Amino acid sequence: MLDFSKLGFTKIKDLKAGSVFLVKNEKGELFALKQNPAAERIVKFSKRVHQDGGALADIVPQFWAKDGWFWLEFLPWPLAGDTVKTHGLSQEALNLINPEKLARAESQLQKMTFKEEGMETRSADFYLGNIIETKEALDQEFGRGFFDKVLNFLLAQKEIIDKYSLFLANGDPHPQNIMYKEQNFVLIDWDLLHFNNPAWDLTDFYLWGWRRSNWGDRLLKEYKKSISMPISDFETIFGFDLVYLASQLVKHALLIKAPVEFMEAQKKILLEKITFSLP
C-alpha cells in the first residue's frame, strides 16, 4: 500500500485504480495526486501560466510537486464527457464550455516561450507512423483502397506539418480531461505537454464536440482572430490533423461499437476531406 505521509497527505481512495489518488492534507483539504516523471515540469508550467494570467490561467489548474509526484486541488465537478459512453463532449458540457474562451486560451498557450529538457516534439512522422493502425477499419468502412487515399493525403502535407511543429500543445484534450461547473471549466491533465503543430489541440476539441458543429466552428473562428501564420497554412494543417484523428476515431468507433451517429460524423469528415483532395 502506498504511503503518502512523506508528501504530507493521507490517502482517502483511488480516483483511477493505482494511478490517481484522492488525498487530504492536515487541514483536511482535498487533492488529486498522481506520479509522473515530468511532475516538476508541470509545476513550472503552471506557475508560469498563472504569473502571466489571461484566459489560459483560467483553464490551467495550479499544480504542486515533490519527489516525482504532483497534485492539484480536487474539484468535485462533472467531467465534460468521455470516449466510450458519451462518445465525446456531452450536450450539457457543450452548452456551458465557452468555445471562444477555449480558443483564446489555446492561442495564449501557443505564444508562450516555455521549454524544458525532455519535452517531446511531434512532427508529421509521429502521425504517419501511427496511421497504419487504422487501415483495417478504414478499408472496412469505406472500401478497399481508402486507407491508401488517406495515407497519400497525409504524406502530401508532411512538409508544412514539419515546418510548423513548434507550438506548445496540451496533447491530450479529451473529454475526460475537462471538468466544468456552470460557466467555469478546467483542463486537468497536462502530462503530455509538448511541441506540436498549431491545430492539434483544436482538432481534438473540434472532433470530440461532434454533437454540435457550431461549437467547433465558433472555436476555430475565435482562434483565427489572433493567428500568427497565413490562414491557408493553418487550414492545410487543420486538414491533416482532421483526417488523421477522424481516421483514429473510426477505428475507435468499431472497437467499442459506438453509436451509429458517432461513426457517421467521423466518416462524413473523412469523405469530405479526402474526396476534395482527389484530382
Side-chain angles (χ1 to χ4, degrees):
M1 183 175 177
L2 291 169
D3 180 9
F4 298 128
S5 59
K6 291 182 179 180
L7 300 174
F9 296 120
T10 301
K11 177 183 172 182
I12 298 176
K13 65 177 182 179
D14 287 20
L15 293 174
K16 187 180 291 184
S19 62
V20 184
F21 309 94
L22 177 63
V23 297
K24 66 178 180 180
N25 63 13
E26 292 180 351
K27 298 179 181 179
E29 297 169 323
L30 298 178
F31 299 89
L33 177 72
K34 185 177 182 180
Q35 191 172 32
N36 190 289
E40 298 294 339
R41 178 195 305 159
I42 295 167
V43 170
K44 286 182 181 179
F45 169 73
S46 169
K47 286 182 177 179
R48 169 69 185 281
V49 167
H50 286 275
Q51 286 171 0
D52 292 349
L56 187 59
D58 289 341
I59 72 164
V60 175
Q62 289 190 335
F63 293 102
W64 298 267
K66 183 179 179 181
D67 297 336
W69 292 86
F70 72 99
W71 57 92
L72 67 155
E73 178 187 356
F74 174 70
L75 299 174
W77 296 2
L79 294 176
D82 61 48
T83 61
V84 295
K85 293 181 180 178
T86 58
H87 307 284
L89 295 168
S90 67
Q91 287 285 12
E92 182 180 67
L94 288 166
N95 287 336
L96 295 174
I97 295 176
N98 183 281
E100 285 82 13
K101 182 176 181 179
L102 186 56
R104 291 192 293 271
E106 184 66 25
S107 180
Q108 187 179 345
L109 172 66
Q110 293 182 7
K111 292 173 181 174
M112 280 185 67
T113 54
F114 179 86
K115 188 173 184 179
E116 292 285 316
E117 185 178 353
M119 286 180 66
E120 180 185 5
T121 297
R122 292 187 177 179
S123 55
D125 284 340
F126 176 88
Y127 300 105
L128 292 170
N130 290 334
I131 194 64
I132 187 63
E133 64 193 34
T134 70
K135 184 180 190 307
E136 183 177 352
L138 293 181
D139 284 350
Q140 176 179 323
E141 288 298 310
F142 295 97
R144 186 176 179 182
F146 188 81
F147 170 79
D148 293 334
K149 296 175 183 177
V150 166
L151 180 58
N152 288 334
F153 175 90
L154 297 177
L155 284 168
Q157 322 306 331
K158 175 176 168 52
E159 184 176 348
I160 194 168
I161 296 298
D162 289 344
K163 176 182 177 182
Y164 285 106
S165 294
L166 42 75
F167 295 88
L168 280 172
N170 170 275
D172 197 25
H174 290 180
Q176 64 267 42
N177 289 335
I178 306 170
M179 302 184 77
Y180 68 98
K181 182 181 180 182
E182 298 174 350
Q183 303 300 317
N184 299 311
F185 61 95
V186 292
L187 188 51
I188 58 174
D189 194 337
W190 290 88
D191 295 25
L192 295 182
L193 181 70
H194 67 284
F195 297 99
N196 207 322
N197 69 68
W200 179 253
D201 286 348
L202 295 162
T203 308
D204 232 328
F205 290 128
Y206 184 90
L207 286 180
W208 287 119
W210 64 274
R211 284 187 171 85
R212 188 174 301 169
S213 60
N214 179 56
W215 186 90
D217 292 340
R218 287 169 58 191
L219 175 78
L220 294 176
K221 182 178 179 180
E222 181 67 21
Y223 172 81
K224 290 176 184 176
K225 288 180 180 179
S226 58
I227 201 165
S228 58
M229 68 187 71
I231 291 291
S232 59
D233 284 359
F234 175 79
E235 294 291 357
T236 299
I237 295 165
F238 179 66
F240 176 99
D241 292 345
L242 207 61
V243 166
Y244 172 82
L245 190 52
S247 298
Q248 292 287 357
L249 292 184
V250 166
K251 181 196 74 171
H252 174 72
L254 281 175
L255 287 174
I256 65 170
K257 298 180 172 60
V260 172
E261 57 267 29
F262 175 77
M263 172 69 88
E264 291 304 314
Q266 312 311 319
K267 289 173 67 173
K268 181 181 178 183
I269 286 169
L270 278 173
L271 282 172
E272 288 176 349
K273 281 291 179 184
I274 298 303
T275 301
F276 177 78
S277 71
L278 294 175

